[in-house]
Amino acid sequence: MMIDASYFNDEDALFKSAFEHSAIGMALVGLDGDWLKVNSALCRIVGYEKEDLLATNFQTITHPDDVDIDLKLVKQLVNNEITFFNLEKRYFHKEGHVVWVLLTISLIRNPDQTPRFVISQVQDISARMKAEAEYKALLMENRMLMQNLFEVQEKERRYLARELHDELGQWLTAIDAESQTISRRADRHLDLQVSAETISGSVKKMHGVIRSMLRQLRPALLDILGLTDSLRDLQKQWRMYHPDTLCEFS
């Protein structure tokens, strides 16, 4: 394909062609925000015909929450505080829905360095923002599920600790007391004494197993009994296994 060499010498034609056929949205915007020139890609992004878009300004289609930061950055450009800026912002599509874009802005100046207009490059990032929002929602859902699971586990731990302490523990204490009573009364029945002591020994072992389980269920037991009652329970267990040692809390 032959191209006239004069085409490459026509900078205006090159600019117009690159501007119009750019894969991303492009616009020349006046310092007051009016659209001076827009390309087809930008029109597709916001859903406007060129004539309709040129009849508005960028403030008109910008989400209200994003207007101030946009104007602030443009002011910094005009004041020569920055040479360009990138901004993720929201446009309103002609059909009413929000379109997320990545905006890159630079300033064109006159030969005397006074501001002339800005060049806007606009990339549609709606798909990326949607994916990020869905990812964040999924993370939040997972955190809620984990929290619910933790609460269910804690509830089960409290229930198990309560049953071990209030039910099984009390029954074992009663059995141990009965076995000791039998042992004291069976003076002439050695076999009964041996059986009673065996029962008492088994009860003590079971108490040990329960204490071990309750330690693993901490802080569930503390939640159920509170610190004071938990200490009293510990004192009670100590007395059972060390009857000759005084243990008191004041």
Side-chain angles (χ1 to χ4, degrees):
M1 178 179 178
M2 299 296 294
I3 300 177
D4 190 339
S6 64
Y7 178 82
F8 295 99
N9 296 323
D10 189 346
E11 293 183 358
D12 185 58
L14 279 174
F15 172 78
K16 289 179 179 179
S17 179
F19 184 91
E20 178 58 32
H21 295 95
S22 173
I24 64 173
M26 296 192 69
L28 304 183
V29 185
L31 299 180
D32 57 359
D34 288 344
W35 302 105
L36 304 179
K37 186 175 181 62
V38 296
N39 72 349
S40 298
L42 178 58
C43 292
R44 286 195 299 271
I45 290 173
V46 296
Y48 283 82
E49 296 294 333
K50 284 187 179 181
E51 295 75 12
D52 296 333
L53 189 57
L54 289 171
T56 67
N57 54 37
F58 85 82
Q59 295 96 321
T60 301
I61 67 169
T62 296
H63 192 285
D65 293 343
D66 298 335
V67 172
D68 288 344
I69 182 63
D70 205 338
L71 292 174
K72 179 181 178 181
L73 291 170
V74 170
K75 183 178 180 180
Q76 290 179 353
L77 273 178
V78 171
N79 293 337
N80 212 22
E81 297 174 9
I82 56 176
T83 56
F84 72 95
F85 67 83
N86 295 316
L87 176 66
E88 291 182 352
K89 60 176 286 185
R90 290 159 290 183
Y91 282 140
F92 284 117
H93 192 276
K94 186 177 181 180
E95 295 180 355
H97 60 270
V98 168
V99 178
W100 276 97
V101 299
L102 173 60
L103 185 68
T104 301
I105 296 289
S106 56
L107 179 67
I108 300 299
R109 295 181 179 273
N110 293 307
D112 62 358
Q113 295 304 303
T114 56
R116 186 176 181 184
F117 55 80
V118 298
I119 298 179
S120 298
Q121 300 177 61
V122 184
Q123 300 179 60
D124 188 347
I125 58 171
S126 296
R128 193 198 83 193
M129 298 300 288
K130 180 181 179 182
E132 289 180 359
E134 291 174 349
Y135 176 69
K136 290 178 181 178
L138 182 60
L139 286 180
M140 180 61 69
E141 182 180 354
N142 286 341
R143 280 196 290 267
M144 292 179 64
L145 288 174
M146 290 299 296
Q147 180 64 29
N148 291 338
L149 177 60
F150 176 77
E151 291 175 356
V152 170
Q153 289 176 334
E154 281 299 299
K155 184 177 180 180
E156 291 178 348
R157 287 173 60 189
R158 291 189 182 98
Y159 173 78
L160 181 57
R162 186 181 299 109
E163 290 297 306
L164 287 173
H165 180 269
D166 294 346
E167 298 296 331
L168 185 56
Q170 297 300 326
W171 278 108
L172 288 175
T173 299
I175 292 172
D176 187 52
E178 288 295 326
S179 67
Q180 292 181 24
T181 299
I182 293 172
S183 179
R184 287 194 300 270
R185 294 180 178 179
D187 295 337
R188 299 180 181 180
H189 301 278
L190 183 59
D191 55 339
L192 287 178
Q193 287 184 336
V194 172
S195 296
E197 290 173 359
T198 299
I199 293 173
S200 180
S202 298
V203 168
K204 286 180 172 60
K205 290 180 180 179
M206 285 299 298
H207 270 298
V209 172
I210 291 174
R211 287 202 312 277
S212 177
M213 294 176 67
L214 289 176
R215 280 195 297 270
Q216 295 179 31
L217 290 171
R218 256 58 171 193
L221 185 61
L222 289 174
D223 292 339
I224 296 168
L225 301 179
L227 179 60
T228 301
D229 288 340
S230 293
L231 289 174
R232 287 174 179 169
D233 180 70
L234 181 61
Q235 179 189 40
K236 180 179 178 181
Q237 298 294 334
W238 177 271
R239 286 176 176 173
M240 179 180 295
Y241 292 95
H242 306 86
D244 299 328
T245 302
L246 180 63
C247 178
E248 293 183 351
F249 294 104
S250 59

